[in-house]
Amino acid sequence: MTSTPTPSTPSGLDPEIAARLRRGADGLVPAIAQQYDTGEVLMLGWMDDEALHRTLTTGRCTYWSRSRQEYWVKGDTSGHFQWVKSVALDCDADTVLVKVDQIGAACHTGDRTCFDADVLLDVQDDVQVGVQVDARAGARLGGADSGVPAVDQ
């Protein structure tokens, strides 16, 4: 981890990219890390302009730690590296998607992803597992016996 000033410090980010970013009041944008070859969502971190600049120029994911108030490069401490394959902005330019080659666990708990431990709903083969879901909750949640019509997308 490299300690640096607060995220409001000017960065080396390309001014054209910086002008497009829609940051939160804290100057940060959410950054989703996704396994490049499987599409698996690994984790959510936060980036300011400098973290994004470092990610784009070093080929390794750099995040801003809101709790420690410092930059951290994924893998520097844990050895669980994220090698950057591509970086994209969403349609509103308020979220970054970083496709990576994840080496080891992505989550600080040691799980492969930060979304492994607390699954709230799991729909498999149009059979709902766990909880009854209101029809307004989304597509393909219904099953033959659920009373909720299945909706194809």
Side-chain angles (χ1 to χ4, degrees):
M1 287 175 275
T2 305
S3 182
T4 61
T6 62
S8 61
T9 303
S11 81
L13 184 63
D14 180 323
E16 290 183 19
I17 296 171
R20 294 175 55 203
L21 282 178
R22 292 182 48 199
R23 302 158 196 78
D26 56 6
L28 302 173
V29 294
I32 300 166
Q34 180 181 39
Q35 179 64 33
Y36 81 100
D37 54 352
T38 65
E40 180 180 34
V41 176
L42 301 169
M43 61 173 279
L44 171 72
W46 296 92
M47 291 185 181
D48 68 349
D49 289 18
E50 181 60 21
L52 181 55
H53 169 69
R54 293 179 188 189
T55 298
L56 291 169
T57 58
T58 67
R60 293 186 54 205
C61 282
T62 300
Y63 300 99
W64 175 258
S65 171
R66 296 179 302 165
S67 59
R68 294 186 309 267
Q69 295 291 294
E70 64 184 13
Y71 294 102
W72 58 281
V73 179
K74 185 67 174 166
D76 273 0
T77 303
S78 66
H80 300 160
F81 299 100
Q82 290 180 341
W83 300 104
V84 176
K85 297 293 187 177
S86 70
V87 181
L89 290 176
D90 76 336
C91 57
D92 297 319
D94 62 0
T95 303
V96 176
L97 175 63
V98 186
K99 292 187 179 183
V100 301
D101 188 9
Q102 176 71 47
I103 307 301
C107 188
H108 71 281
T109 65
D111 286 339
R112 168 73 181 162
T113 84
C114 293
F115 301 100
D116 287 343
D118 198 8
V119 176
L120 302 178
L121 176 67
D122 187 5
V123 178
Q124 299 173 9
D125 297 324
D126 289 335
V127 176
Q128 190 173 318
V129 179
V131 298
Q132 182 63 35
V133 177
D134 188 302
R136 295 168 290 178
R140 299 196 61 82
L141 297 178
D145 300 336
S146 71
V148 179
V151 179
D152 289 324
Q153 290 185 346

